[in-house]
Amino acid sequence: MWANPHTMVLFDVKDDKGNIVHWAGEAGSAESIRLLGWNKTTLQPGDVITVYIGPPKFDNAVGRLERIALADGRTLKDSDRGARGDITRY
């Protein structure tokens, strides 16, 4: 969902039992992540991705995106903080 004030990535994950769980990951604004190499067509339905996400405080399938690794090896980040940032502080 390419929108402001925050973009959302909706994706499915198989849990330990093989069940599909629907997740939502929140990223920055469309303009801020565009500056980091994203665009509204970067992710397409059916793409296989690896999602790194800040864990939720509660037992919900939602969190703050840290980065996404694409099947072609590219990485999309949510911020330019790189290794300086500490995702655990959120």
CSV table of all heavy atoms in Angstrom, one decimal, residues 26-86:
chain,number,residue,atom,x,y,z
A,26,GLU,N,4.8,-2.1,8.6
A,26,GLU,CA,4.7,-0.6,8.3
A,26,GLU,C,6.1,-0.1,8.0
A,26,GLU,O,7.1,-0.4,8.7
A,26,GLU,CB,4.2,0.1,9.6
A,26,GLU,CG,4.1,1.6,9.5
A,26,GLU,CD,3.7,2.2,10.8
A,26,GLU,OE1,4.1,1.8,11.8
A,26,GLU,OE2,2.9,3.2,10.7
A,27,ALA,N,6.2,0.8,7.0
A,27,ALA,CA,7.4,1.4,6.6
A,27,ALA,C,7.2,3.0,6.7
A,27,ALA,O,6.1,3.4,7.1
A,27,ALA,CB,7.8,1.0,5.2
A,28,GLY,N,8.2,3.7,6.3
A,28,GLY,CA,8.0,5.2,6.3
A,28,GLY,C,7.1,5.7,5.2
A,28,GLY,O,6.4,4.9,4.5
A,29,SER,N,7.1,7.0,5.1
A,29,SER,CA,6.2,7.6,4.1
A,29,SER,C,6.7,7.2,2.7
A,29,SER,O,7.8,6.8,2.5
A,29,SER,CB,6.2,9.1,4.2
A,29,SER,OG,7.5,9.6,3.8
A,30,ALA,N,5.8,7.3,1.7
A,30,ALA,CA,6.1,6.9,0.4
A,30,ALA,C,7.3,7.7,-0.1
A,30,ALA,O,8.2,7.2,-0.8
A,30,ALA,CB,4.9,7.1,-0.6
A,31,GLU,N,7.4,9.0,0.2
A,31,GLU,CA,8.5,9.9,-0.3
A,31,GLU,C,9.8,9.5,0.4
A,31,GLU,O,10.8,9.4,-0.2
A,31,GLU,CB,8.2,11.3,0.0
A,31,GLU,CG,9.2,12.3,-0.5
A,31,GLU,CD,9.5,12.2,-2.0
A,31,GLU,OE1,8.7,11.7,-2.7
A,31,GLU,OE2,10.6,12.6,-2.4
A,32,SER,N,9.7,9.2,1.7
A,32,SER,CA,11.0,8.8,2.4
A,32,SER,C,11.6,7.5,1.9
A,32,SER,O,12.8,7.4,1.7
A,32,SER,CB,10.8,8.8,3.9
A,32,SER,OG,10.0,7.7,4.3
A,33,ILE,N,10.8,6.5,1.7
A,33,ILE,CA,11.3,5.2,1.2
A,33,ILE,C,11.7,5.3,-0.3
A,33,ILE,O,12.5,4.6,-0.8
A,33,ILE,CB,10.5,4.0,1.6
A,33,ILE,CG1,9.1,4.0,0.9
A,33,ILE,CG2,10.4,3.9,3.1
A,33,ILE,CD1,8.3,2.7,1.1
A,34,ARG,N,11.0,6.2,-1.1
A,34,ARG,CA,11.4,6.4,-2.5
A,34,ARG,C,12.8,6.8,-2.6
A,34,ARG,O,13.6,6.4,-3.4
A,34,ARG,CB,10.4,7.4,-3.1
A,34,ARG,CG,10.7,7.6,-4.6
A,34,ARG,CD,10.0,8.8,-5.2
A,34,ARG,NE,10.5,10.0,-4.7
A,34,ARG,CZ,11.6,10.6,-5.0
A,34,ARG,NH1,12.4,10.1,-5.9
A,34,ARG,NH2,12.0,11.8,-4.5
A,35,LEU,N,13.2,7.7,-1.6
A,35,LEU,CA,14.6,8.2,-1.6
A,35,LEU,C,15.6,7.0,-1.3
A,35,LEU,O,16.8,7.2,-1.6
A,35,LEU,CB,14.8,9.3,-0.6
A,35,LEU,CG,14.0,10.6,-0.9
A,35,LEU,CD1,14.0,11.5,0.3
A,35,LEU,CD2,14.5,11.2,-2.2
A,36,LEU,N,15.1,5.9,-0.8
A,36,LEU,CA,15.9,4.8,-0.5
A,36,LEU,C,15.9,3.7,-1.5
A,36,LEU,O,16.4,2.6,-1.3
A,36,LEU,CB,15.5,4.2,0.9
A,36,LEU,CG,15.8,5.1,2.1
A,36,LEU,CD1,15.1,4.6,3.3
A,36,LEU,CD2,17.2,5.4,2.3
A,37,GLY,N,15.2,4.0,-2.7
A,37,GLY,CA,15.2,3.0,-3.8
A,37,GLY,C,13.9,2.3,-4.0
A,37,GLY,O,13.8,1.5,-5.0
A,38,TRP,N,12.9,2.5,-3.2
A,38,TRP,CA,11.6,1.9,-3.4
A,38,TRP,C,10.8,2.7,-4.4
A,38,TRP,O,11.0,3.8,-4.6
A,38,TRP,CB,10.8,1.9,-2.1
A,38,TRP,CG,11.3,1.2,-0.9
A,38,TRP,CD1,12.5,1.4,-0.2
A,38,TRP,CD2,10.6,0.2,-0.1
A,38,TRP,NE1,12.6,0.6,0.9
A,38,TRP,CE2,11.4,-0.1,1.0
A,38,TRP,CE3,9.4,-0.4,-0.3
A,38,TRP,CZ2,11.0,-1.1,1.9
A,38,TRP,CZ3,9.0,-1.3,0.7
A,38,TRP,CH2,9.8,-1.7,1.7
A,39,ASN,N,9.8,2.0,-5.0
A,39,ASN,CA,8.8,2.7,-5.8
A,39,ASN,C,7.5,1.9,-5.6
A,39,ASN,O,7.5,0.8,-5.1
A,39,ASN,CB,9.2,3.0,-7.2
A,39,ASN,CG,9.3,1.8,-8.0
A,39,ASN,OD1,8.4,0.9,-8.1
A,39,ASN,ND2,10.5,1.6,-8.7
A,40,LYS,N,6.4,2.4,-6.2
A,40,LYS,CA,5.1,1.7,-5.9
A,40,LYS,C,5.0,0.3,-6.7
A,40,LYS,O,4.1,-0.4,-6.4
A,40,LYS,CB,3.9,2.6,-6.3
A,40,LYS,CG,3.9,3.0,-7.7
A,40,LYS,CD,2.7,3.9,-7.9
A,40,LYS,CE,2.6,4.4,-9.3
A,40,LYS,NZ,1.4,5.3,-9.5
A,41,THR,N,6.0,0.0,-7.6
A,41,THR,CA,5.9,-1.3,-8.2
A,41,THR,C,7.1,-2.2,-7.8
A,41,THR,O,7.3,-3.2,-8.4
A,41,THR,CB,5.9,-1.1,-9.8
A,41,THR,OG1,7.2,-0.4,-10.1
A,41,THR,CG2,4.7,-0.3,-10.2
A,42,THR,N,7.9,-1.8,-6.9
A,42,THR,CA,9.0,-2.6,-6.4
A,42,THR,C,8.6,-4.0,-6.0
A,42,THR,O,9.2,-4.9,-6.3
A,42,THR,CB,9.8,-1.9,-5.3
A,42,THR,OG1,10.2,-0.6,-5.8
A,42,THR,CG2,11.0,-2.7,-4.8
A,43,LEU,N,7.5,-4.0,-5.2
A,43,LEU,CA,7.0,-5.3,-4.7
A,43,LEU,C,5.7,-5.6,-5.4
A,43,LEU,O,4.8,-4.7,-5.6
A,43,LEU,CB,6.7,-5.3,-3.2
A,43,LEU,CG,8.0,-5.0,-2.3
A,43,LEU,CD1,7.5,-4.9,-0.9
A,43,LEU,CD2,8.9,-6.2,-2.5
A,44,GLN,N,5.6,-6.8,-5.9
A,44,GLN,CA,4.4,-7.2,-6.6
A,44,GLN,C,3.8,-8.5,-5.9
A,44,GLN,O,4.5,-9.3,-5.3
A,44,GLN,CB,4.7,-7.6,-8.1
A,44,GLN,CG,5.2,-6.5,-8.9
A,44,GLN,CD,4.2,-5.4,-9.1
A,44,GLN,OE1,3.0,-5.7,-9.5
A,44,GLN,NE2,4.5,-4.2,-8.9
A,45,PRO,N,2.4,-8.6,-6.0
A,45,PRO,CA,1.8,-9.8,-5.5
A,45,PRO,C,2.5,-11.1,-6.0
A,45,PRO,O,2.8,-11.2,-7.2
A,45,PRO,CB,0.4,-9.7,-5.9
A,45,PRO,CG,0.1,-8.3,-6.2
A,45,PRO,CD,1.5,-7.7,-6.7
A,46,GLY,N,2.8,-12.0,-5.1
A,46,GLY,CA,3.4,-13.2,-5.5
A,46,GLY,C,5.0,-13.2,-5.4
A,46,GLY,O,5.6,-14.3,-5.5
A,47,ASP,N,5.6,-12.0,-5.2
A,47,ASP,CA,7.0,-12.0,-5.0
A,47,ASP,C,7.4,-12.8,-3.7
A,47,ASP,O,6.7,-12.7,-2.7
A,47,ASP,CB,7.5,-10.5,-4.8
A,47,ASP,CG,7.5,-9.8,-6.1
A,47,ASP,OD1,7.3,-10.4,-7.2
A,47,ASP,OD2,7.8,-8.5,-6.1
A,48,VAL,N,8.5,-13.5,-3.8
A,48,VAL,CA,9.0,-14.2,-2.7
A,48,VAL,C,10.1,-13.3,-2.1
A,48,VAL,O,11.1,-12.9,-2.7
A,48,VAL,CB,9.7,-15.5,-3.1
A,48,VAL,CG1,10.3,-16.2,-1.8
A,48,VAL,CG2,8.6,-16.5,-3.7
A,49,ILE,N,9.9,-12.9,-0.8
A,49,ILE,CA,10.7,-11.9,-0.1
A,49,ILE,C,11.1,-12.5,1.3
A,49,ILE,O,10.4,-13.3,1.8
A,49,ILE,CB,10.1,-10.6,0.0
A,49,ILE,CG1,8.8,-10.6,0.8
A,49,ILE,CG2,9.9,-9.9,-1.4
A,49,ILE,CD1,8.1,-9.3,1.0
A,50,THR,N,12.2,-11.9,1.8
A,50,THR,CA,12.5,-12.2,3.2
A,50,THR,C,12.3,-10.9,4.0
A,50,THR,O,12.9,-9.9,3.6
A,50,THR,CB,13.9,-12.7,3.4
A,50,THR,OG1,14.1,-13.9,2.6
A,50,THR,CG2,14.3,-13.0,4.8
A,51,VAL,N,11.5,-10.9,5.0
A,51,VAL,CA,11.2,-9.7,5.7
A,51,VAL,C,11.8,-9.7,7.1
A,51,VAL,O,11.7,-10.7,7.8
A,51,VAL,CB,9.6,-9.6,5.9
A,51,VAL,CG1,9.3,-8.3,6.7
A,51,VAL,CG2,8.9,-9.6,4.5
A,52,TYR,N,12.5,-8.6,7.4
A,52,TYR,CA,13.1,-8.4,8.7
A,52,TYR,C,12.2,-7.3,9.4
A,52,TYR,O,12.1,-6.2,8.8
A,52,TYR,CB,14.5,-8.0,8.6
A,52,TYR,CG,15.4,-9.0,7.9
A,52,TYR,CD1,15.5,-9.1,6.6
A,52,TYR,CD2,16.1,-9.9,8.7
A,52,TYR,CE1,16.3,-10.0,5.9
A,52,TYR,CE2,16.8,-10.9,8.1
A,52,TYR,CZ,16.9,-10.9,6.7
A,52,TYR,OH,17.7,-11.9,6.1
A,53,ILE,N,11.6,-7.6,10.5
A,53,ILE,CA,10.6,-6.8,11.0
A,53,ILE,C,10.8,-6.7,12.5
A,53,ILE,O,11.2,-7.6,13.2
A,53,ILE,CB,9.2,-7.3,10.7
A,53,ILE,CG1,8.1,-6.3,10.9
A,53,ILE,CG2,8.9,-8.6,11.3
A,53,ILE,CD1,6.8,-6.6,10.3
A,54,GLY,N,10.6,-5.5,13.1
A,54,GLY,CA,10.6,-5.3,14.5
A,54,GLY,C,9.4,-6.0,15.1
A,54,GLY,O,8.3,-5.9,14.7
A,55,PRO,N,9.7,-6.8,16.2
A,55,PRO,CA,8.7,-7.6,16.8
A,55,PRO,C,7.6,-6.8,17.4
A,55,PRO,O,7.9,-5.7,18.0
A,55,PRO,CB,9.4,-8.5,17.8
A,55,PRO,CG,10.6,-7.7,18.1
A,55,PRO,CD,11.0,-6.9,16.9
A,56,PRO,N,6.3,-7.2,17.3
A,56,PRO,CA,5.3,-6.5,17.9
A,56,PRO,C,5.3,-6.6,19.5
A,56,PRO,O,5.8,-7.6,20.0
A,56,PRO,CB,4.0,-7.1,17.4
A,56,PRO,CG,4.4,-8.5,17.0
A,56,PRO,CD,5.9,-8.4,16.6
A,57,LYS,N,4.7,-5.6,20.1
A,57,LYS,CA,4.7,-5.7,21.6
A,57,LYS,C,3.7,-6.7,22.0
A,57,LYS,O,3.8,-7.2,23.1
A,57,LYS,CB,4.3,-4.3,22.2
A,57,LYS,CG,5.4,-3.3,22.0
A,57,LYS,CD,5.0,-2.0,22.6
A,57,LYS,CE,6.1,-0.9,22.5
A,57,LYS,NZ,5.8,0.3,23.1
A,58,PHE,N,2.7,-6.9,21.2
A,58,PHE,CA,1.6,-7.9,21.5
A,58,PHE,C,1.7,-9.0,20.6
A,58,PHE,O,2.4,-8.9,19.6
A,58,PHE,CB,0.2,-7.1,21.5
A,58,PHE,CG,0.2,-5.9,22.4
A,58,PHE,CD1,0.3,-4.7,21.9
A,58,PHE,CD2,0.1,-6.1,23.8
A,58,PHE,CE1,0.3,-3.5,22.7
A,58,PHE,CE2,0.1,-5.0,24.6
A,58,PHE,CZ,0.2,-3.7,24.1
A,59,ASP,N,0.9,-10.0,20.8
A,59,ASP,CA,0.9,-11.2,19.9
A,59,ASP,C,0.0,-10.9,18.7
A,59,ASP,O,-1.0,-11.5,18.5
A,59,ASP,CB,0.4,-12.4,20.7
A,59,ASP,CG,0.6,-13.7,19.9
A,59,ASP,OD1,1.5,-13.7,19.0
A,59,ASP,OD2,-0.1,-14.7,20.2
A,60,ASN,N,0.5,-10.0,17.8
A,60,ASN,CA,-0.2,-9.7,16.6
A,60,ASN,C,0.8,-9.9,15.4
A,60,ASN,O,2.0,-9.8,15.6
A,60,ASN,CB,-0.7,-8.2,16.6
A,60,ASN,CG,-1.7,-8.0,17.6
A,60,ASN,OD1,-2.5,-8.8,17.9
A,60,ASN,ND2,-1.7,-6.8,18.2
A,61,ALA,N,0.2,-10.1,14.2
A,61,ALA,CA,1.1,-10.3,13.0
A,61,ALA,C,1.2,-8.9,12.4
A,61,ALA,O,0.9,-8.7,11.2
A,61,ALA,CB,0.4,-11.3,12.1
A,62,VAL,N,1.9,-8.0,13.1
A,62,VAL,CA,2.1,-6.6,12.6
A,62,VAL,C,3.4,-6.1,13.2
A,62,VAL,O,3.7,-6.5,14.3
A,62,VAL,CB,0.9,-5.7,12.9
A,62,VAL,CG1,0.7,-5.5,14.4
A,62,VAL,CG2,1.0,-4.4,12.2
A,63,GLY,N,4.1,-5.3,12.5
A,63,GLY,CA,5.3,-4.7,13.0
A,63,GLY,C,5.9,-3.7,12.1
A,63,GLY,O,5.4,-3.4,11.1
A,64,ARG,N,7.0,-3.1,12.6
A,64,ARG,CA,7.7,-2.0,11.8
A,64,ARG,C,8.8,-2.7,11.0
A,64,ARG,O,9.6,-3.5,11.5
A,64,ARG,CB,8.4,-1.1,12.8
A,64,ARG,CG,9.1,0.1,12.2
A,64,ARG,CD,8.2,1.0,11.5
A,64,ARG,NE,9.0,2.0,10.8
A,64,ARG,CZ,8.6,3.1,10.3
A,64,ARG,NH1,7.3,3.4,10.4
A,64,ARG,NH2,9.3,4.0,9.7
A,65,LEU,N,8.8,-2.5,9.7
A,65,LEU,CA,9.7,-3.0,8.8
A,65,LEU,C,11.1,-2.5,9.1
A,65,LEU,O,11.3,-1.3,9.3
A,65,LEU,CB,9.4,-2.7,7.3
A,65,LEU,CG,8.2,-3.4,6.7
A,65,LEU,CD1,7.9,-2.9,5.3
A,65,LEU,CD2,8.4,-4.9,6.7
A,66,GLU,N,12.1,-3.4,9.0
A,66,GLU,CA,13.5,-3.0,9.1
A,66,GLU,C,14.1,-3.0,7.7
A,66,GLU,O,14.7,-2.0,7.3
A,66,GLU,CB,14.3,-3.9,10.0
A,66,GLU,CG,15.7,-3.5,10.2
A,66,GLU,CD,16.5,-4.5,11.0
A,66,GLU,OE1,15.9,-5.3,11.7
A,66,GLU,OE2,17.8,-4.4,11.0
A,67,ARG,N,13.9,-4.2,7.1
A,67,ARG,CA,14.4,-4.3,5.7
A,67,ARG,C,13.7,-5.5,5.0
A,67,ARG,O,13.2,-6.3,5.7
A,67,ARG,CB,15.9,-4.4,5.6
A,67,ARG,CG,16.5,-5.7,6.1
A,67,ARG,CD,18.0,-5.7,6.2
A,67,ARG,NE,18.6,-6.9,6.6
A,67,ARG,CZ,18.7,-7.4,7.8
A,67,ARG,NH1,18.3,-6.6,8.8
A,67,ARG,NH2,19.3,-8.5,8.1
A,68,ILE,N,13.8,-5.5,3.7
A,68,ILE,CA,13.3,-6.6,2.9
A,68,ILE,C,14.4,-7.1,1.9
A,68,ILE,O,14.9,-6.2,1.2
A,68,ILE,CB,12.0,-6.2,2.1
A,68,ILE,CG1,10.9,-5.8,3.1
A,68,ILE,CG2,11.6,-7.3,1.2
A,68,ILE,CD1,9.6,-5.3,2.4
A,69,ALA,N,14.6,-8.4,1.9
A,69,ALA,CA,15.6,-8.9,1.0
A,69,ALA,C,14.7,-9.5,-0.2
A,69,ALA,O,13.8,-10.3,0.0
A,69,ALA,CB,16.4,-10.0,1.6
A,70,LEU,N,15.0,-9.1,-1.4
A,70,LEU,CA,14.3,-9.6,-2.6
A,70,LEU,C,15.0,-10.8,-3.1
A,70,LEU,O,16.2,-11.1,-2.8
A,70,LEU,CB,14.3,-8.5,-3.7
A,70,LEU,CG,13.7,-7.2,-3.2
A,70,LEU,CD1,13.9,-6.1,-4.4
A,70,LEU,CD2,12.3,-7.3,-2.9
A,71,ALA,N,14.3,-11.6,-3.9
A,71,ALA,CA,14.8,-12.9,-4.4
A,71,ALA,C,16.1,-12.6,-5.3
A,71,ALA,O,16.9,-13.5,-5.4
A,71,ALA,CB,13.8,-13.6,-5.2
A,72,ASP,N,16.2,-11.5,-5.9
A,72,ASP,CA,17.4,-11.2,-6.7
A,72,ASP,C,18.6,-10.7,-5.9
A,72,ASP,O,19.6,-10.3,-6.5
A,72,ASP,CB,17.1,-10.2,-7.9
A,72,ASP,CG,16.7,-8.8,-7.3
A,72,ASP,OD1,16.8,-8.5,-6.1
A,72,ASP,OD2,16.3,-8.0,-8.2
A,73,GLY,N,18.5,-10.7,-4.6
A,73,GLY,CA,19.6,-10.3,-3.8
A,73,GLY,C,19.6,-8.8,-3.3
A,73,GLY,O,20.4,-8.4,-2.4
A,74,ARG,N,18.8,-8.0,-3.9
A,74,ARG,CA,18.7,-6.6,-3.5
A,74,ARG,C,18.0,-6.5,-2.1
A,74,ARG,O,17.2,-7.3,-1.8
A,74,ARG,CB,17.9,-5.7,-4.5
A,74,ARG,CG,18.6,-5.6,-5.8
A,74,ARG,CD,17.7,-4.7,-6.8
A,74,ARG,NE,16.5,-5.3,-7.1
A,74,ARG,CZ,15.3,-4.7,-7.2
A,74,ARG,NH1,15.2,-3.4,-7.1
A,74,ARG,NH2,14.2,-5.4,-7.5
A,75,THR,N,18.4,-5.4,-1.4
A,75,THR,CA,17.8,-5.2,-0.1
A,75,THR,C,17.1,-3.8,-0.1
A,75,THR,O,17.7,-2.8,-0.5
A,75,THR,CB,18.9,-5.3,1.0
A,75,THR,OG1,19.5,-6.5,1.0
A,75,THR,CG2,18.3,-5.0,2.4
A,76,LEU,N,15.9,-3.8,0.4
A,76,LEU,CA,15.2,-2.5,0.6
A,76,LEU,C,15.2,-2.2,2.1
A,76,LEU,O,14.8,-3.1,2.9
A,76,LEU,CB,13.8,-2.7,0.1
A,76,LEU,CG,13.6,-3.0,-1.4
A,76,LEU,CD1,12.1,-3.4,-1.7
A,76,LEU,CD2,14.1,-1.9,-2.3
A,77,LYS,N,15.6,-1.0,2.4
A,77,LYS,CA,15.6,-0.6,3.8
A,77,LYS,C,14.5,0.4,4.1
A,77,LYS,O,14.1,1.1,3.2
A,77,LYS,CB,17.0,0.0,4.2
A,77,LYS,CG,18.1,-1.0,4.1
A,77,LYS,CD,19.4,-0.4,4.6
A,77,LYS,CE,20.5,-1.4,4.6
A,77,LYS,NZ,21.8,-0.9,5.0
A,78,ASP,N,14.1,0.5,5.3
A,78,ASP,CA,13.1,1.4,5.7
A,78,ASP,C,13.7,2.8,6.1
A,78,ASP,O,13.1,3.8,6.1
A,78,ASP,CB,12.3,0.9,6.9
A,78,ASP,CG,11.2,1.9,7.4
A,78,ASP,OD1,10.5,2.4,6.5
A,78,ASP,OD2,11.2,2.2,8.5
A,79,SER,N,15.0,2.8,6.5
A,79,SER,CA,15.7,4.0,6.8
A,79,SER,C,17.1,3.9,6.4
A,79,SER,O,17.6,2.9,6.1
A,79,SER,CB,15.6,4.3,8.3
A,79,SER,OG,16.5,3.5,9.0
A,80,ASP,N,17.8,5.1,6.4
A,80,ASP,CA,19.2,5.1,6.1
A,80,ASP,C,20.1,4.9,7.3
A,80,ASP,O,21.3,5.2,7.2
A,80,ASP,CB,19.6,6.3,5.2
A,80,ASP,CG,19.4,7.6,6.0
A,80,ASP,OD1,18.9,7.5,7.2
A,80,ASP,OD2,19.7,8.6,5.5
A,81,ARG,N,19.6,4.5,8.4
A,81,ARG,CA,20.4,4.4,9.6
A,81,ARG,C,21.4,3.3,9.6
A,81,ARG,O,22.4,3.3,10.3
A,81,ARG,CB,19.5,4.3,10.9
A,81,ARG,CG,18.8,3.0,11.0
A,81,ARG,CD,18.1,2.9,12.3
A,81,ARG,NE,17.4,1.7,12.5
A,81,ARG,CZ,16.1,1.5,12.2
A,81,ARG,NH1,15.4,2.5,11.9
A,81,ARG,NH2,15.6,0.3,12.3
A,82,GLY,N,21.2,2.3,8.7
A,82,GLY,CA,22.2,1.3,8.5
A,82,GLY,C,22.5,0.6,9.8
A,82,GLY,O,21.7,0.4,10.6
A,83,ALA,N,23.8,0.2,10.0
A,83,ALA,CA,24.2,-0.5,11.2
A,83,ALA,C,24.2,0.4,12.4
A,83,ALA,O,24.4,-0.1,13.5
A,83,ALA,CB,25.6,-1.1,10.9
A,84,ARG,N,24.1,1.7,12.2
A,84,ARG,CA,24.1,2.6,13.3
A,84,ARG,C,22.9,2.5,14.2
A,84,ARG,O,22.9,2.9,15.4
A,84,ARG,CB,24.3,4.1,12.9
A,84,ARG,CG,25.5,4.3,12.1
A,84,ARG,CD,25.5,5.8,11.6
A,84,ARG,NE,24.2,6.1,11.1
A,84,ARG,CZ,23.9,6.5,9.9
A,84,ARG,NH1,24.9,6.6,9.0
A,84,ARG,NH2,22.7,6.8,9.5
A,85,GLY,N,21.8,2.1,13.6
A,85,GLY,CA,20.5,2.1,14.3
A,85,GLY,C,20.4,0.8,15.1
A,85,GLY,O,21.0,-0.2,14.8
A,86,ASP,N,19.6,0.8,16.1
A,86,ASP,CA,19.3,-0.3,16.9
A,86,ASP,C,17.8,-0.6,16.9
A,86,ASP,O,17.0,0.1,17.6
A,86,ASP,CB,19.8,-0.1,18.4
A,86,ASP,CG,19.5,-1.3,19.3
A,86,ASP,OD1,19.1,-2.3,18.8
A,86,ASP,OD2,19.7,-1.1,20.5
